[in-house]
Amino acid sequence: MPRYQCPECEAVLRRAEAIPAGKKIRCPKCEAVFPARALPDEEPAAQPAGEGYALAGQVKAVPKPAPVEEEENSNPYAVIKESEDEVKPEIHLGSLRDKFAKSKIGPAMYRTVVPSNWLLRLGLFSCAVAVFLFIYGIWPVIFCEANPIRPFIRPRVDIMVGAVLMFTFGAIMCMGAARMHDLTSYTWAIIGSVMALLIYVPRAIMIAISMLIMFGPLGLLVAALVCALAFVGLWCLIVLMNKEVREGFKERAEELTY
């Protein structure tokens, strides 16, 4: 009868039939799984003369019956069958995913978050400059001791009117940037981007030319920075024209409607 020893608990397992090489066996005591390697057969011990007869006053040893082989399913240390030719079923999740439409808001926000942040910065910068210009224009008029003459007041009024317009445009730019950031209004996003172009592109060209005239080649860096700041609105318009961004605005509008 072949014997197999568990490497974990060192229990000796016996089976009526030998296990083919390469198969595995499970120990019923410690539940360990190990390759089936049969132990060498035991040599039969020499039987003393007169074996089979009990001496006087002694009890004859009754041999233990051979273990009855149970069915394969009820055997606690049955051989684990591993077939290399067995084809495992593949799991396909494509059909499950396709039942639900993918949201288009995420890809749209991924494209709009950076340009909308720059548009918001540009709008806040415009508002801050407008407040400074308004204070600069009204300061001499308020704190002038004598009655200011008309030629003195007119330029100051022009500065204050320009500051009010610049503050209004900057507020519109901030509104458009906020609506572009959360995809709540495509119209406001377009208006804010156009305002950035109307305010800063002409001024950027004038400042760039002035820098080149005053500082020559050294003014190219400043001119490039000013032009880059001016074309934030153009950048936003290019992003807003993207198909994924427009579909994201549309889906967000449908969510807000329902």
Side-chain angles (χ1 to χ4, degrees):
M1 179 180 295
R3 299 176 301 127
Y4 305 91
Q5 187 174 14
C6 175
E8 298 293 334
C9 63
E10 298 184 355
V12 178
L13 312 178
R14 302 174 183 271
R15 284 184 58 88
E17 298 179 357
I19 301 174
K23 298 296 182 178
K24 294 182 180 179
I25 190 171
R26 186 188 302 275
C27 179
K29 293 184 178 181
C30 63
E31 299 295 331
V33 177
F34 57 93
R37 295 188 181 90
L39 297 176
D41 297 335
E42 296 180 347
E43 296 181 358
Q47 297 181 355
E51 184 180 2
Y53 298 92
L55 298 178
Q58 294 182 353
V59 181
K60 183 179 179 181
V62 179
K64 295 181 179 180
V68 180
E69 185 178 2
E70 299 178 356
E71 297 181 0
E72 183 178 357
N73 295 334
S74 61
N75 194 348
Y77 51 94
V79 179
I80 299 176
K81 299 180 180 180
E82 295 181 356
S83 177
E84 298 180 355
D85 299 334
E86 183 180 357
V87 180
K88 297 182 179 180
E90 298 182 358
I91 300 175
H92 299 281
L93 299 178
S95 59
L96 180 61
R97 293 195 185 102
D98 293 338
K99 292 180 181 179
F100 304 95
K102 297 180 180 179
S103 176
K104 300 175 183 178
I105 297 177
M109 294 187 69
Y110 176 78
R111 292 179 178 272
T112 58
V113 61
V114 177
S116 63
N117 288 339
W118 277 103
L119 183 62
L120 179 62
R121 295 187 185 103
L122 194 60
L124 294 175
F125 175 75
S126 303
C127 294
V129 172
V131 172
F132 174 78
L133 292 177
F134 188 84
I135 295 174
Y136 173 77
I138 201 174
W139 188 274
V141 177
I142 295 177
F143 295 97
C144 183
E145 296 181 358
N147 293 329
I149 58 178
R150 187 180 182 86
F152 174 78
I153 295 177
R154 182 60 181 272
R156 300 294 176 174
V157 173
D158 294 341
I159 293 175
M160 289 186 289
V161 172
V164 171
L165 292 176
M166 188 173 183
F167 186 88
T168 304
F169 291 163
I172 294 174
M173 290 164 57
C174 294
M175 178 69 71
R179 296 294 182 267
M180 180 179 177
H181 188 276
D182 53 12
L183 307 178
T184 52
S185 178
Y186 189 78
T187 304
W188 272 106
I190 291 291
I191 293 174
S193 304
V194 172
M195 285 296 175
L197 287 175
L198 293 178
I199 295 176
Y200 283 99
V201 170
R203 296 186 181 183
I205 295 174
M206 293 175 61
I207 293 174
I209 294 174
S210 301
M211 289 292 178
L212 290 175
I213 293 174
M214 291 187 296
F215 300 102
L218 296 178
L220 288 175
L221 180 60
V222 179
L225 292 176
V226 174
C227 291
L229 185 65
F231 283 98
V232 171
L234 181 61
W235 180 22
C236 293
L237 286 176
I238 293 174
V239 172
L240 290 172
M241 294 301 173
N242 186 274
K243 182 179 179 180
E244 291 185 354
V245 175
R246 287 182 293 173
E247 291 178 352
F249 271 99
K250 183 178 179 180
E251 183 174 341
R252 176 70 79 178
E254 292 177 354
E255 288 184 356
L256 295 177
T257 302
Y258 294 107

